[in-house]
Amino acid sequence: MKDLQPRIMIENINAIVTPLPGRAFIGMITNCVQQARLSIDIIQFEWKWYHHDHESSIQQLSYEVLQAARRKVAIRVLLNKEHPRHPLTPINKNTIINLQDAGVSAKFGPSSPITHAKLWIIDKEITVLGSHNMSRRAVTVNDEASVKIISKEIAGEYTRYFEALWNRI
């Protein structure tokens, strides 16, 4: 697809950048979702929905996404889909169902190429990207690193990327 061809997007943009190593990620992304007013676009490789662990930081973030939808924030979520017997597919399907039940626009990306990005775009001004999946291990055990970038220009470029992935299905 032409829109996904490699290219230098933008360079040398003034932005506020906050590194989010390890557990710093979950508090920051939850706060960003709580403050969202217009839109949230999300791409995740994995998003576990912890029905029986309401206190989990990942489940708390999931609830905040649902709260944002109730505030009429436009939310789109694109999750990875592997072959039907891969354990990740039912995990993400469960999340898609829970999000759709709350009025969130959520769907699978194609099986090939896989959707491996971890990207959040909030109000077309804040971009959070990195290695964190939405799983308990990603925010408690694994060595993960993400970054929060406040820049309308950068958010605009990643919104174009999101749109290309969202619309290819």
Side-chain angles (χ1 to χ4, degrees), residues 32-34 36-43 47 49 61-79 95-96 99-100 102-107 119-124 162-163 166:
C32 288
V33 169
Q34 290 169 336
R37 296 293 167 246
L38 303 172
S39 64
I40 305 172
D41 289 332
I42 304 166
I43 302 173
W47 188 338
W49 201 271
L61 172 60
S62 297
Y63 292 149
E64 290 298 336
V65 170
L66 300 182
Q67 281 294 104
R70 287 186 202 100
R71 294 192 314 268
K72 305 298 184 205
V73 174
I75 303 172
R76 297 182 296 176
V77 178
L78 188 64
L79 297 178
T95 298
I96 287 172
L99 292 169
Q100 288 175 339
V104 172
S105 184
K107 64 183 181 177
L119 172 68
W120 295 60
I121 306 162
I122 297 104
D123 292 339
K124 301 199 183 317
F162 180 91
E163 293 291 344
W166 184 262

mmCIF file of all heavy atoms in Angstrom, residues 32-34 36-43 47 49 61-79 95-96 99-100 102-107 119-124 162-163 166:
data_model
loop_
_atom_site.group_PDB
_atom_site.id
_atom_site.type_symbol
_atom_site.label_atom_id
_atom_site.label_comp_id
_atom_site.label_asym_id
_atom_site.label_seq_id
_atom_site.Cartn_x
_atom_site.Cartn_y
_atom_site.Cartn_z
ATOM 1 N N CYS A 32 -3.371 10.409 30.623
ATOM 2 C CA CYS A 32 -3.689 10.970 29.303
ATOM 3 C C CYS A 32 -5.110 10.604 28.875
ATOM 4 O O CYS A 32 -5.830 11.445 28.328
ATOM 5 C CB CYS A 32 -2.689 10.470 28.255
ATOM 6 S SG CYS A 32 -1.044 11.178 28.394
ATOM 7 N N VAL A 33 -5.503 9.367 29.119
ATOM 8 C CA VAL A 33 -6.863 8.930 28.765
ATOM 9 C C VAL A 33 -7.887 9.687 29.607
ATOM 10 O O VAL A 33 -8.920 10.138 29.092
ATOM 11 C CB VAL A 33 -7.004 7.405 28.923
ATOM 12 C CG1 VAL A 33 -8.467 6.972 28.820
ATOM 13 C CG2 VAL A 33 -6.147 6.685 27.892
ATOM 14 N N GLN A 34 -7.613 9.867 30.895
ATOM 15 C CA GLN A 34 -8.531 10.608 31.764
ATOM 16 C C GLN A 34 -8.727 12.046 31.287
ATOM 17 O O GLN A 34 -9.812 12.602 31.420
ATOM 18 C CB GLN A 34 -8.011 10.617 33.205
ATOM 19 C CG GLN A 34 -8.094 9.279 33.876
ATOM 20 C CD GLN A 34 -7.344 9.246 35.197
ATOM 21 O OE1 GLN A 34 -6.410 10.022 35.436
ATOM 22 N NE2 GLN A 34 -7.744 8.324 36.066
ATOM 23 N N ALA A 36 -8.352 13.111 28.106
ATOM 24 C CA ALA A 36 -8.749 13.197 26.693
ATOM 25 C C ALA A 36 -10.123 13.848 26.572
ATOM 26 O O ALA A 36 -11.029 13.573 27.352
ATOM 27 C CB ALA A 36 -8.764 11.811 26.066
ATOM 28 N N ARG A 37 -10.253 14.712 25.567
ATOM 29 C CA ARG A 37 -11.517 15.419 25.353
ATOM 30 C C ARG A 37 -12.130 15.150 23.983
ATOM 31 O O ARG A 37 -13.338 15.201 23.831
ATOM 32 C CB ARG A 37 -11.310 16.933 25.512
ATOM 33 C CG ARG A 37 -10.889 17.354 26.890
ATOM 34 C CD ARG A 37 -12.018 17.121 27.903
ATOM 35 N NE ARG A 37 -11.524 17.227 29.261
ATOM 36 C CZ ARG A 37 -11.472 16.213 30.117
ATOM 37 N NH1 ARG A 37 -11.871 15.025 29.770
ATOM 38 N NH2 ARG A 37 -11.032 16.377 31.344
ATOM 39 N N LEU A 38 -11.299 14.867 22.965
ATOM 40 C CA LEU A 38 -11.809 14.752 21.603
ATOM 41 C C LEU A 38 -11.680 13.353 21.025
ATOM 42 O O LEU A 38 -12.644 12.803 20.498
ATOM 43 C CB LEU A 38 -11.081 15.750 20.690
ATOM 44 C CG LEU A 38 -11.156 17.213 21.083
ATOM 45 C CD1 LEU A 38 -10.241 18.049 20.207
ATOM 46 C CD2 LEU A 38 -12.591 17.698 21.006
ATOM 47 N N SER A 39 -10.467 12.797 21.071
ATOM 48 C CA SER A 39 -10.239 11.535 20.380
ATOM 49 C C SER A 39 -9.079 10.761 20.987
ATOM 50 O O SER A 39 -8.158 11.350 21.559
ATOM 51 C CB SER A 39 -9.948 11.787 18.893
ATOM 52 O OG SER A 39 -8.755 12.525 18.750
ATOM 53 N N ILE A 40 -9.159 9.453 20.826
ATOM 54 C CA ILE A 40 -8.056 8.558 21.178
ATOM 55 C C ILE A 40 -7.990 7.490 20.084
ATOM 56 O O ILE A 40 -8.978 6.787 19.849
ATOM 57 C CB ILE A 40 -8.249 7.865 22.543
ATOM 58 C CG1 ILE A 40 -8.481 8.888 23.663
ATOM 59 C CG2 ILE A 40 -7.055 6.966 22.858
ATOM 60 C CD1 ILE A 40 -8.866 8.254 24.997
ATOM 61 N N ASP A 41 -6.855 7.393 19.419
ATOM 62 C CA ASP A 41 -6.602 6.332 18.445
ATOM 63 C C ASP A 41 -5.531 5.430 19.031
ATOM 64 O O ASP A 41 -4.491 5.919 19.496
ATOM 65 C CB ASP A 41 -6.132 6.914 17.106
ATOM 66 C CG ASP A 41 -7.245 7.632 16.367
ATOM 67 O OD1 ASP A 41 -8.426 7.278 16.556
ATOM 68 O OD2 ASP A 41 -6.939 8.550 15.591
ATOM 69 N N ILE A 42 -5.772 4.126 19.002
ATOM 70 C CA ILE A 42 -4.896 3.164 19.672
ATOM 71 C C ILE A 42 -4.564 2.014 18.731
ATOM 72 O O ILE A 42 -5.453 1.458 18.095
ATOM 73 C CB ILE A 42 -5.575 2.583 20.932
ATOM 74 C CG1 ILE A 42 -5.998 3.699 21.893
ATOM 75 C CG2 ILE A 42 -4.670 1.551 21.616
ATOM 76 C CD1 ILE A 42 -6.952 3.235 22.985
ATOM 77 N N ILE A 43 -3.283 1.655 18.686
ATOM 78 C CA ILE A 43 -2.840 0.416 18.048
ATOM 79 C C ILE A 43 -2.099 -0.375 19.116
ATOM 80 O O ILE A 43 -1.197 0.161 19.769
ATOM 81 C CB ILE A 43 -1.886 0.682 16.859
ATOM 82 C CG1 ILE A 43 -2.546 1.558 15.801
ATOM 83 C CG2 ILE A 43 -1.415 -0.642 16.263
ATOM 84 C CD1 ILE A 43 -1.594 1.992 14.694
ATOM 85 N N TRP A 47 -3.757 -6.686 24.105
ATOM 86 C CA TRP A 47 -4.493 -5.959 25.145
ATOM 87 C C TRP A 47 -5.326 -6.978 25.904
ATOM 88 O O TRP A 47 -6.343 -7.460 25.421
ATOM 89 C CB TRP A 47 -5.386 -4.897 24.535
ATOM 90 C CG TRP A 47 -6.040 -3.959 25.521
ATOM 91 C CD1 TRP A 47 -6.276 -4.171 26.842
ATOM 92 C CD2 TRP A 47 -6.550 -2.658 25.220
ATOM 93 N NE1 TRP A 47 -6.901 -3.079 27.392
ATOM 94 C CE2 TRP A 47 -7.083 -2.137 26.414
ATOM 95 C CE3 TRP A 47 -6.625 -1.897 24.063
ATOM 96 C CZ2 TRP A 47 -7.678 -0.881 26.477
ATOM 97 C CZ3 TRP A 47 -7.212 -0.655 24.128
ATOM 98 C CH2 TRP A 47 -7.722 -0.151 25.324
ATOM 99 N N TRP A 49 -7.838 -8.182 28.842
ATOM 100 C CA TRP A 49 -8.960 -7.658 29.610
ATOM 101 C C TRP A 49 -9.079 -8.524 30.853
ATOM 102 O O TRP A 49 -9.362 -9.711 30.765
ATOM 103 C CB TRP A 49 -10.238 -7.731 28.777
ATOM 104 C CG TRP A 49 -11.294 -6.802 29.264
ATOM 105 C CD1 TRP A 49 -12.258 -7.072 30.206
ATOM 106 C CD2 TRP A 49 -11.498 -5.459 28.842
ATOM 107 N NE1 TRP A 49 -13.043 -5.975 30.390
ATOM 108 C CE2 TRP A 49 -12.607 -4.961 29.553
ATOM 109 C CE3 TRP A 49 -10.851 -4.623 27.929
ATOM 110 C CZ2 TRP A 49 -13.086 -3.669 29.390
ATOM 111 C CZ3 TRP A 49 -11.333 -3.343 27.757
ATOM 112 C CH2 TRP A 49 -12.433 -2.873 28.481
ATOM 113 N N LEU A 61 -6.842 1.041 33.447
ATOM 114 C CA LEU A 61 -6.714 1.779 32.190
ATOM 115 C C LEU A 61 -7.857 1.417 31.245
ATOM 116 O O LEU A 61 -8.446 2.298 30.609
ATOM 117 C CB LEU A 61 -5.368 1.498 31.531
ATOM 118 C CG LEU A 61 -5.175 2.056 30.118
ATOM 119 C CD1 LEU A 61 -5.312 3.574 30.093
ATOM 120 C CD2 LEU A 61 -3.831 1.624 29.561
ATOM 121 N N SER A 62 -8.193 0.143 31.155
ATOM 122 C CA SER A 62 -9.300 -0.284 30.302
ATOM 123 C C SER A 62 -10.598 0.406 30.718
ATOM 124 O O SER A 62 -11.360 0.887 29.870
ATOM 125 C CB SER A 62 -9.472 -1.802 30.375
ATOM 126 O OG SER A 62 -8.315 -2.451 29.885
ATOM 127 N N TYR A 63 -10.847 0.484 32.023
ATOM 128 C CA TYR A 63 -12.041 1.181 32.512
ATOM 129 C C TYR A 63 -11.999 2.664 32.166
ATOM 130 O O TYR A 63 -13.028 3.262 31.856
ATOM 131 C CB TYR A 63 -12.187 0.996 34.021
ATOM 132 C CG TYR A 63 -12.514 -0.412 34.451
ATOM 133 C CD1 TYR A 63 -12.064 -0.890 35.670
ATOM 134 C CD2 TYR A 63 -13.275 -1.273 33.657
ATOM 135 C CE1 TYR A 63 -12.356 -2.181 36.101
ATOM 136 C CE2 TYR A 63 -13.560 -2.571 34.068
ATOM 137 C CZ TYR A 63 -13.106 -3.011 35.294
ATOM 138 O OH TYR A 63 -13.396 -4.293 35.696
ATOM 139 N N GLU A 64 -10.817 3.272 32.208
ATOM 140 C CA GLU A 64 -10.704 4.688 31.842
ATOM 141 C C GLU A 64 -11.015 4.909 30.361
ATOM 142 O O GLU A 64 -11.589 5.937 29.992
ATOM 143 C CB GLU A 64 -9.324 5.236 32.193
ATOM 144 C CG GLU A 64 -9.065 5.375 33.672
ATOM 145 C CD GLU A 64 -10.005 6.337 34.387
ATOM 146 O OE1 GLU A 64 -10.572 7.249 33.743
ATOM 147 O OE2 GLU A 64 -10.179 6.184 35.612
ATOM 148 N N VAL A 65 -10.637 3.951 29.519
ATOM 149 C CA VAL A 65 -10.990 4.043 28.098
ATOM 150 C C VAL A 65 -12.509 4.004 27.953
ATOM 151 O O VAL A 65 -13.097 4.791 27.192
ATOM 152 C CB VAL A 65 -10.301 2.930 27.281
ATOM 153 C CG1 VAL A 65 -10.853 2.862 25.863
ATOM 154 C CG2 VAL A 65 -8.778 3.151 27.255
ATOM 155 N N LEU A 66 -13.168 3.127 28.704
ATOM 156 C CA LEU A 66 -14.629 3.064 28.657
ATOM 157 C C LEU A 66 -15.252 4.360 29.174
ATOM 158 O O LEU A 66 -16.239 4.849 28.606
ATOM 159 C CB LEU A 66 -15.144 1.869 29.464
ATOM 160 C CG LEU A 66 -14.681 0.478 29.022
ATOM 161 C CD1 LEU A 66 -15.323 -0.591 29.885
ATOM 162 C CD2 LEU A 66 -14.953 0.248 27.550
ATOM 163 N N GLN A 67 -14.664 4.922 30.226
ATOM 164 C CA GLN A 67 -15.154 6.205 30.749
ATOM 165 C C GLN A 67 -15.000 7.306 29.703
ATOM 166 O O GLN A 67 -15.882 8.158 29.551
ATOM 167 C CB GLN A 67 -14.394 6.597 32.019
ATOM 168 C CG GLN A 67 -14.855 5.881 33.255
ATOM 169 C CD GLN A 67 -16.269 6.272 33.629
ATOM 170 O OE1 GLN A 67 -17.205 5.513 33.403
ATOM 171 N NE2 GLN A 67 -16.441 7.455 34.164
ATOM 172 N N ALA A 68 -13.904 7.315 28.995
ATOM 173 C CA ALA A 68 -13.693 8.315 27.941
ATOM 174 C C ALA A 68 -14.766 8.169 26.862
ATOM 175 O O ALA A 68 -15.298 9.167 26.364
ATOM 176 C CB ALA A 68 -12.291 8.175 27.350
ATOM 177 N N ALA A 69 -15.100 6.941 26.519
ATOM 178 C CA ALA A 69 -16.160 6.717 25.520
ATOM 179 C C ALA A 69 -17.487 7.275 26.036
ATOM 180 O O ALA A 69 -18.244 7.889 25.269
ATOM 181 C CB ALA A 69 -16.280 5.228 25.196
ATOM 182 N N ARG A 70 -17.764 7.108 27.321
ATOM 183 C CA ARG A 70 -18.998 7.659 27.906
ATOM 184 C C ARG A 70 -18.997 9.185 27.877
ATOM 185 O O ARG A 70 -20.064 9.791 27.834
ATOM 186 C CB ARG A 70 -19.183 7.147 29.336
ATOM 187 C CG ARG A 70 -19.591 5.701 29.404
ATOM 188 C CD ARG A 70 -19.910 5.259 30.836
ATOM 189 N NE ARG A 70 -19.788 3.828 30.930
ATOM 190 C CZ ARG A 70 -18.740 3.166 31.426
ATOM 191 N NH1 ARG A 70 -17.721 3.815 31.933
ATOM 192 N NH2 ARG A 70 -18.726 1.853 31.446
ATOM 193 N N ARG A 71 -17.800 9.779 27.906
ATOM 194 C CA ARG A 71 -17.684 11.252 27.806
ATOM 195 C C ARG A 71 -17.786 11.718 26.359
ATOM 196 O O ARG A 71 -17.579 12.881 26.075
ATOM 197 C CB ARG A 71 -16.338 11.732 28.377
ATOM 198 C CG ARG A 71 -16.152 11.537 29.850
ATOM 199 C CD ARG A 71 -14.928 12.304 30.379
ATOM 200 N NE ARG A 71 -13.715 12.202 29.605
ATOM 201 C CZ ARG A 71 -12.752 11.307 29.780
ATOM 202 N NH1 ARG A 71 -12.865 10.387 30.723
ATOM 203 N NH2 ARG A 71 -11.667 11.318 29.017
ATOM 204 N N LYS A 72 -18.044 10.794 25.458
ATOM 205 C CA LYS A 72 -18.181 11.081 24.022
ATOM 206 C C LYS A 72 -16.847 11.375 23.340
ATOM 207 O O LYS A 72 -16.794 12.028 22.313
ATOM 208 C CB LYS A 72 -19.170 12.221 23.749
ATOM 209 C CG LYS A 72 -20.539 12.006 24.354
ATOM 210 C CD LYS A 72 -21.199 10.783 23.766
ATOM 211 C CE LYS A 72 -22.629 10.639 24.310
ATOM 212 N NZ LYS A 72 -23.104 9.297 24.271
ATOM 213 N N VAL A 73 -15.753 10.876 23.920
ATOM 214 C CA VAL A 73 -14.462 10.925 23.246
ATOM 215 C C VAL A 73 -14.514 9.869 22.127
ATOM 216 O O VAL A 73 -14.923 8.731 22.376
ATOM 217 C CB VAL A 73 -13.299 10.630 24.221
ATOM 218 C CG1 VAL A 73 -11.970 10.529 23.494
ATOM 219 C CG2 VAL A 73 -13.246 11.691 25.320
ATOM 220 N N ALA A 74 -14.152 10.250 20.918
ATOM 221 C CA ALA A 74 -14.141 9.305 19.790
ATOM 222 C C ALA A 74 -12.928 8.394 19.935
ATOM 223 O O ALA A 74 -11.788 8.863 19.950
ATOM 224 C CB ALA A 74 -14.086 10.066 18.472
ATOM 225 N N ILE A 75 -13.170 7.100 20.049
ATOM 226 C CA ILE A 75 -12.080 6.146 20.289
ATOM 227 C C ILE A 75 -12.097 5.073 19.211
ATOM 228 O O ILE A 75 -13.135 4.483 18.919
ATOM 229 C CB ILE A 75 -12.203 5.490 21.680
ATOM 230 C CG1 ILE A 75 -12.226 6.570 22.762
ATOM 231 C CG2 ILE A 75 -11.052 4.499 21.908
ATOM 232 C CD1 ILE A 75 -12.536 6.047 24.145
ATOM 233 N N ARG A 76 -10.914 4.841 18.623
ATOM 234 C CA ARG A 76 -10.722 3.749 17.664
ATOM 235 C C ARG A 76 -9.554 2.905 18.143
ATOM 236 O O ARG A 76 -8.511 3.445 18.523
ATOM 237 C CB ARG A 76 -10.420 4.298 16.268
ATOM 238 C CG ARG A 76 -11.553 5.119 15.700
ATOM 239 C CD ARG A 76 -11.251 5.614 14.311
ATOM 240 N NE ARG A 76 -10.114 6.544 14.321
ATOM 241 C CZ ARG A 76 -9.592 7.077 13.213
ATOM 242 N NH1 ARG A 76 -10.058 6.761 12.016
ATOM 243 N NH2 ARG A 76 -8.579 7.916 13.300
ATOM 244 N N VAL A 77 -9.750 1.596 18.120
ATOM 245 C CA VAL A 77 -8.727 0.661 18.596
ATOM 246 C C VAL A 77 -8.484 -0.386 17.513
ATOM 247 O O VAL A 77 -9.418 -1.018 17.030
ATOM 248 C CB VAL A 77 -9.161 -0.026 19.904
ATOM 249 C CG1 VAL A 77 -8.114 -1.038 20.362
ATOM 250 C CG2 VAL A 77 -9.437 1.010 20.993
ATOM 251 N N LEU A 78 -7.217 -0.570 17.165
ATOM 252 C CA LEU A 78 -6.798 -1.570 16.194
ATOM 253 C C LEU A 78 -5.884 -2.560 16.908
ATOM 254 O O LEU A 78 -4.850 -2.160 17.455
ATOM 255 C CB LEU A 78 -6.059 -0.891 15.042
ATOM 256 C CG LEU A 78 -5.693 -1.744 13.839
ATOM 257 C CD1 LEU A 78 -6.955 -2.248 13.141
ATOM 258 C CD2 LEU A 78 -4.854 -0.924 12.868
ATOM 259 N N LEU A 79 -6.278 -3.833 16.940
ATOM 260 C CA LEU A 79 -5.511 -4.866 17.642
ATOM 261 C C LEU A 79 -5.004 -5.917 16.675
ATOM 262 O O LEU A 79 -5.597 -6.158 15.618
ATOM 263 C CB LEU A 79 -6.373 -5.535 18.720
ATOM 264 C CG LEU A 79 -6.858 -4.641 19.857
ATOM 265 C CD1 LEU A 79 -7.738 -5.424 20.818
ATOM 266 C CD2 LEU A 79 -5.691 -4.004 20.590
ATOM 267 N N THR A 95 -11.061 -8.373 24.198
ATOM 268 C CA THR A 95 -10.961 -6.929 24.402
ATOM 269 C C THR A 95 -11.806 -6.179 23.384
ATOM 270 O O THR A 95 -12.514 -5.226 23.736
ATOM 271 C CB THR A 95 -9.484 -6.488 24.345
ATOM 272 O OG1 THR A 95 -8.781 -7.130 25.411
ATOM 273 C CG2 THR A 95 -9.350 -4.981 24.478
ATOM 274 N N ILE A 96 -11.760 -6.606 22.142
ATOM 275 C CA ILE A 96 -12.586 -5.964 21.104
ATOM 276 C C ILE A 96 -14.060 -6.029 21.487
ATOM 277 O O ILE A 96 -14.781 -5.028 21.403
ATOM 278 C CB ILE A 96 -12.322 -6.592 19.722
ATOM 279 C CG1 ILE A 96 -10.948 -6.143 19.201
ATOM 280 C CG2 ILE A 96 -13.427 -6.225 18.736
ATOM 281 C CD1 ILE A 96 -10.495 -6.841 17.925
ATOM 282 N N LEU A 99 -14.779 -3.585 24.343
ATOM 283 C CA LEU A 99 -14.750 -2.200 23.868
ATOM 284 C C LEU A 99 -15.969 -1.891 23.001
ATOM 285 O O LEU A 99 -16.614 -0.851 23.180
ATOM 286 C CB LEU A 99 -13.455 -1.942 23.091
ATOM 287 C CG LEU A 99 -12.168 -1.969 23.913
ATOM 288 C CD1 LEU A 99 -10.945 -1.968 22.996
ATOM 289 C CD2 LEU A 99 -12.113 -0.786 24.883
ATOM 290 N N GLN A 100 -16.304 -2.778 22.090
ATOM 291 C CA GLN A 100 -17.464 -2.554 21.214
ATOM 292 C C GLN A 100 -18.758 -2.479 22.020
ATOM 293 O O GLN A 100 -19.640 -1.673 21.707
ATOM 294 C CB GLN A 100 -17.554 -3.642 20.151
ATOM 295 C CG GLN A 100 -16.488 -3.539 19.096
ATOM 296 C CD GLN A 100 -16.510 -4.703 18.109
ATOM 297 O OE1 GLN A 100 -17.048 -5.774 18.391
ATOM 298 N NE2 GLN A 100 -15.911 -4.482 16.949
ATOM 299 N N ALA A 102 -19.171 -1.160 24.725
ATOM 300 C CA ALA A 102 -19.233 0.186 25.322
ATOM 301 C C ALA A 102 -19.293 1.282 24.260
ATOM 302 O O ALA A 102 -19.198 2.460 24.585
ATOM 303 C CB ALA A 102 -18.022 0.398 26.226
ATOM 304 N N GLY A 103 -19.411 0.884 22.993
ATOM 305 C CA GLY A 103 -19.533 1.878 21.934
ATOM 306 C C GLY A 103 -18.228 2.328 21.318
ATOM 307 O O GLY A 103 -18.203 3.272 20.522
ATOM 308 N N VAL A 104 -17.139 1.660 21.661
ATOM 309 C CA VAL A 104 -15.835 1.984 21.090
ATOM 310 C C VAL A 104 -15.704 1.296 19.735
ATOM 311 O O VAL A 104 -16.088 0.130 19.583
ATOM 312 C CB VAL A 104 -14.692 1.541 22.031
ATOM 313 C CG1 VAL A 104 -13.334 1.700 21.372
ATOM 314 C CG2 VAL A 104 -14.747 2.319 23.338
ATOM 315 N N SER A 105 -15.168 1.991 18.768
ATOM 316 C CA SER A 105 -14.890 1.397 17.461
ATOM 317 C C SER A 105 -13.586 0.612 17.571
ATOM 318 O O SER A 105 -12.514 1.204 17.726
ATOM 319 C CB SER A 105 -14.784 2.498 16.403
ATOM 320 O OG SER A 105 -14.598 1.944 15.133
ATOM 321 N N ALA A 106 -13.696 -0.713 17.544
ATOM 322 C CA ALA A 106 -12.519 -1.570 17.739
ATOM 323 C C ALA A 106 -12.564 -2.705 16.725
ATOM 324 O O ALA A 106 -13.633 -3.249 16.435
ATOM 325 C CB ALA A 106 -12.500 -2.134 19.155
ATOM 326 N N LYS A 107 -11.383 -3.050 16.197
ATOM 327 C CA LYS A 107 -11.312 -4.130 15.216
ATOM 328 C C LYS A 107 -9.903 -4.706 15.158
ATOM 329 O O LYS A 107 -8.962 -4.131 15.694
ATOM 330 C CB LYS A 107 -11.747 -3.651 13.841
ATOM 331 C CG LYS A 107 -10.845 -2.578 13.220
ATOM 332 C CD LYS A 107 -11.422 -2.124 11.883
ATOM 333 C CE LYS A 107 -10.556 -1.086 11.213
ATOM 334 N NZ LYS A 107 -11.080 -0.698 9.904
ATOM 335 N N LEU A 119 0.820 2.156 19.966
ATOM 336 C CA LEU A 119 0.701 3.578 19.652
ATOM 337 C C LEU A 119 -0.617 4.122 20.173
ATOM 338 O O LEU A 119 -1.671 3.524 19.936
ATOM 339 C CB LEU A 119 0.774 3.765 18.131
ATOM 340 C CG LEU A 119 0.490 5.139 17.558
ATOM 341 C CD1 LEU A 119 1.580 6.132 17.943
ATOM 342 C CD2 LEU A 119 0.372 5.049 16.034
ATOM 343 N N TRP A 120 -0.559 5.237 20.886
ATOM 344 C CA TRP A 120 -1.743 5.943 21.367
ATOM 345 C C TRP A 120 -1.623 7.386 20.899
ATOM 346 O O TRP A 120 -0.579 8.020 21.100
ATOM 347 C CB TRP A 120 -1.827 5.910 22.890
ATOM 348 C CG TRP A 120 -2.010 4.548 23.482
ATOM 349 C CD1 TRP A 120 -1.173 3.472 23.358
ATOM 350 C CD2 TRP A 120 -3.103 4.117 24.289
ATOM 351 N NE1 TRP A 120 -1.683 2.400 24.043
ATOM 352 C CE2 TRP A 120 -2.864 2.768 24.635
ATOM 353 C CE3 TRP A 120 -4.243 4.751 24.774
ATOM 354 C CZ2 TRP A 120 -3.732 2.042 25.421
ATOM 355 C CZ3 TRP A 120 -5.114 4.022 25.576
ATOM 356 C CH2 TRP A 120 -4.856 2.682 25.889
ATOM 357 N N ILE A 121 -2.676 7.917 20.296
ATOM 358 C CA ILE A 121 -2.716 9.316 19.871
ATOM 359 C C ILE A 121 -3.920 9.945 20.564
ATOM 360 O O ILE A 121 -5.058 9.526 20.345
ATOM 361 C CB ILE A 121 -2.848 9.456 18.344
ATOM 362 C CG1 ILE A 121 -1.748 8.659 17.630
ATOM 363 C CG2 ILE A 121 -2.820 10.930 17.933
ATOM 364 C CD1 ILE A 121 -2.048 8.378 16.171
ATOM 365 N N ILE A 122 -3.669 10.924 21.412
ATOM 366 C CA ILE A 122 -4.717 11.536 22.217
ATOM 367 C C ILE A 122 -4.941 12.975 21.772
ATOM 368 O O ILE A 122 -3.991 13.773 21.755
ATOM 369 C CB ILE A 122 -4.372 11.479 23.723
ATOM 370 C CG1 ILE A 122 -4.280 10.011 24.193
ATOM 371 C CG2 ILE A 122 -5.406 12.213 24.554
ATOM 372 C CD1 ILE A 122 -2.911 9.516 24.390
ATOM 373 N N ASP A 123 -6.188 13.272 21.417
ATOM 374 C CA ASP A 123 -6.609 14.633 21.036
ATOM 375 C C ASP A 123 -5.734 15.241 19.945
ATOM 376 O O ASP A 123 -5.576 16.459 19.874
ATOM 377 C CB ASP A 123 -6.657 15.554 22.259
ATOM 378 C CG ASP A 123 -7.763 15.172 23.226
ATOM 379 O OD1 ASP A 123 -8.716 14.483 22.802
ATOM 380 O OD2 ASP A 123 -7.673 15.557 24.399
ATOM 381 N N LYS A 124 -5.165 14.384 19.097
ATOM 382 C CA LYS A 124 -4.330 14.810 17.962
ATOM 383 C C LYS A 124 -3.198 15.762 18.394
ATOM 384 O O LYS A 124 -2.715 16.568 17.618
ATOM 385 C CB LYS A 124 -5.188 15.444 16.869
ATOM 386 C CG LYS A 124 -6.245 14.472 16.342
ATOM 387 C CD LYS A 124 -6.787 14.851 15.023
ATOM 388 C CE LYS A 124 -7.877 13.947 14.524
ATOM 389 N NZ LYS A 124 -7.718 12.530 14.666
ATOM 390 N N PHE A 162 -1.857 5.912 11.437
ATOM 391 C CA PHE A 162 -3.000 5.191 11.982
ATOM 392 C C PHE A 162 -4.098 5.048 10.927
ATOM 393 O O PHE A 162 -4.656 3.963 10.740
ATOM 394 C CB PHE A 162 -3.551 5.910 13.224
ATOM 395 C CG PHE A 162 -4.737 5.217 13.826
ATOM 396 C CD1 PHE A 162 -4.578 4.262 14.815
ATOM 397 C CD2 PHE A 162 -6.030 5.494 13.390
ATOM 398 C CE1 PHE A 162 -5.676 3.602 15.357
ATOM 399 C CE2 PHE A 162 -7.125 4.842 13.920
ATOM 400 C CZ PHE A 162 -6.948 3.891 14.910
ATOM 401 N N GLU A 163 -4.417 6.136 10.251
ATOM 402 C CA GLU A 163 -5.477 6.118 9.233
ATOM 403 C C GLU A 163 -5.157 5.102 8.128
ATOM 404 O O GLU A 163 -6.052 4.386 7.664
ATOM 405 C CB GLU A 163 -5.668 7.501 8.610
ATOM 406 C CG GLU A 163 -6.209 8.555 9.545
ATOM 407 C CD GLU A 163 -7.655 8.348 9.954
ATOM 408 O OE1 GLU A 163 -8.377 7.555 9.306
ATOM 409 O OE2 GLU A 163 -8.062 8.971 10.945
ATOM 410 N N TRP A 166 -5.811 1.702 9.679
ATOM 411 C CA TRP A 166 -7.242 1.555 9.963
ATOM 412 C C TRP A 166 -8.034 1.304 8.685
ATOM 413 O O TRP A 166 -8.941 0.480 8.650
ATOM 414 C CB TRP A 166 -7.746 2.805 10.681
ATOM 415 C CG TRP A 166 -9.173 2.739 11.103
ATOM 416 C CD1 TRP A 166 -10.264 3.268 10.457
ATOM 417 C CD2 TRP A 166 -9.685 2.112 12.277
ATOM 418 N NE1 TRP A 166 -11.413 3.014 11.153
ATOM 419 C CE2 TRP A 166 -11.091 2.307 12.282
ATOM 420 C CE3 TRP A 166 -9.109 1.407 13.337
ATOM 421 C CZ2 TRP A 166 -11.908 1.824 13.299
ATOM 422 C CZ3 TRP A 166 -9.929 0.938 14.349
ATOM 423 C CH2 TRP A 166 -11.308 1.134 14.317
#
